């Protein structure tokens, strides 16, 4: 069971890489992506790491919340929406 949970976790992390647009921005260049991850890991371990973690966590949480709100709004029927015949 632990193997299945680990696989799910890794798939979810890969989904975040995709969702952030990094795959497209890096043109699917894995060396570039790995270098970027190494850079952010070094920055998180650095002198301002605690503040950077807070900043990035807030940014991610805010984006998750905005996306959830947008998805919820998209599922609601629009008030005042008219049919194809204008009625």
């Amino acid at each position: 069971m632990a193997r299945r949970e680990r696989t799910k976790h890794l798939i979810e992390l890969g989904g975040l890489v995709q969702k952030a647009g990094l795959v497209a921005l890096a043109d699917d260049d894995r060396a570039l992506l790995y270098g970027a991850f190494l850079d952010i890991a070094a920055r998180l371990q650095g002198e301002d790491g605690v503040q950077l973690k807070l900043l990035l966590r807030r940014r991610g949480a805010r984006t998750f919340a905005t996306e959830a709100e947008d998805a919820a709004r998209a599922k609601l029927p629009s008030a005042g929406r008219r049919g194809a015949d204008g009625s």
Side-chain angles (χ1 to χ4, degrees), residues 11-63:
I11 290 169
E12 289 171 347
L13 292 174
L16 289 174
V17 172
Q18 177 70 36
K19 187 174 185 129
L22 293 173
V23 175
L25 287 170
D27 198 28
D28 203 14
D29 183 338
R30 292 166 192 205
L32 188 156
L33 289 170
Y34 187 43
F37 295 145
L38 291 172
D39 181 66
I40 196 159
R43 291 176 55 202
L44 290 171
Q45 293 174 12
E47 192 174 300
D48 297 325
V50 172
Q51 289 80 16
L52 182 59
K53 284 180 186 181
L54 288 172
L55 171 72
L56 296 175
R57 185 176 291 116
R58 284 185 194 136
R59 184 179 295 162
R62 191 170 44 242
T63 303

